[in-house]
Amino acid sequence: MHYGLDIGGTKIELTVFNAAMQPVQSWRLATPTDDYAGFLQTVVAQVEQADQLHGNGGTVGIALPGVIRADGTVLSSNVPCLTNQAVAAALTERLQRPVAIGNDCRCFALSEALLGAGKGKRRVFGAIVGTGAGGGFCLDGRLYQGAAQLAGEFGHQGLAAAVVHQFALPLFRCGCGLTGCAEPYVSGSGLARLYQHFSGLPQTDSYQWLSAYRQGELAAVSTFACYISALGSVMAAQILTLDPDIIVLGGGLSDIPELLQALPEATARHLFHGARLPQFARAEFGAASGVRGAALLGRALKTGQQYVS
């Protein structure tokens, strides 16, 4: 069996996959975000529970939000107790088996490239637009990480100046500490922030925006025009950098059909004439793709398959 764990700021999800990478069981529990010892104990307990249910020795792979540095230490704002900790090494020692660890967006990209919407494509860019915004790039079935494992962090690229100028946008500060990153505009909370900006409402969320948009409210329609242009500009930057065959969208906002329908044209407006537009697709495995990617990384430690370049 192969275990994938998806670590979030509020919950841990463990999914058990069989040899064909089909899920056979899954459960969730709260994430200890401020207690590192408690976090390790919680993860170990879940893996041991999976062993008891499915036989000892399942492989272990973990997807988490944040940066995994070259030395194995983690930088995570969502789970602060993990920052500067060598999480995989600590769990390897406690579980007495190798533990793989990867960024959740990169795990999503790997899952969709190998088994999902990008299967059969040479160059696959996976983009998550939900609570945050980030992605990963797979070439010939291998995840390209980069020298510092930062490849795919499009949420912290600067928003296109043309979009800021066209829609007279304020410069929002990002959770990473920089100002003008794409994430505060194109994430789920970014969409709500844009709706608040255009509507003048004191407080909004993406669900409120979607309801108003489908009713034809002017401020909500203006918000969508701005949002899709912002996201299109970010996707155009990925095309000019990576030239993918397909862009696979995941995260909560990918569930909005109007977004996926409008995105190719919005992206094309930010590309020079003659630039090739890739295929766009919604993630085949949806929210479960990250945990499947984590399980793939864990399986690779046992099989010797090379999923990372």
Side-chain angles (χ1 to χ4, degrees), residues 86-211:
V87 180
L91 289 172
T92 293
E93 180 181 353
R94 286 163 173 77
L95 290 169
Q96 293 299 293
R97 76 192 81 172
V99 174
I101 193 167
N103 171 272
D104 53 354
C105 296
R106 259 65 101 202
C107 287
F108 162 82
L110 181 65
S111 171
E112 290 296 324
L114 292 179
L115 303 171
K119 186 177 181 180
K121 305 288 188 182
R122 285 198 62 205
R123 295 164 287 262
V124 179
F125 187 77
I128 290 181
V129 282
T131 305
F137 180 63
C138 288
L139 177 62
D140 293 330
R142 290 191 180 188
L143 187 64
Y144 175 74
Q145 300 260 58
Q149 302 190 42
L150 293 174
E153 288 289 346
F154 72 84
H156 302 292
Q157 295 175 359
L159 189 68
V163 176
V164 176
H165 177 74
Q166 179 184 354
F167 295 97
L169 295 176
L171 289 179
F172 298 133
R173 188 166 179 81
C174 182
C176 74
L178 299 175
T179 299
C181 290
E183 184 171 281
Y185 301 85
V186 303
S187 64
S189 58
L191 177 57
R193 190 178 289 112
L194 290 174
Y195 183 43
Q196 185 177 12
H197 172 71
F198 284 103
S199 67
L201 294 171
Q203 190 171 358
T204 63
D205 59 38
S206 57
Y207 300 101
Q208 184 181 357
W209 164 80
L210 184 58
S211 176

Side-chain angles (χ1 to χ4, degrees), residues 65-77:
V67 175
I68 294 87
R69 303 185 182 105
D71 65 357
T73 59
V74 168
L75 176 63
S76 177
S77 58

Side-chain angles (χ1 to χ4, degrees), residues 9 16 33 47 88 120 170 173 196 200 238 246 293 298:
V16 179
T33 57
V47 172
R173 188 166 179 81
Q196 185 177 12
Q238 312 320 304
I246 186 171

Side-chain angles (χ1 to χ4, degrees), residues 5 32 43 51 77 87 89 97 116 152 155 213 224-225 233 252 260-261 299:
L5 290 95
V43 171
D51 283 345
S77 58
V87 180
R97 76 192 81 172
Y213 175 72
F224 184 74
S233 73
L260 189 57
Q261 182 179 359
R299 184 182 73 171

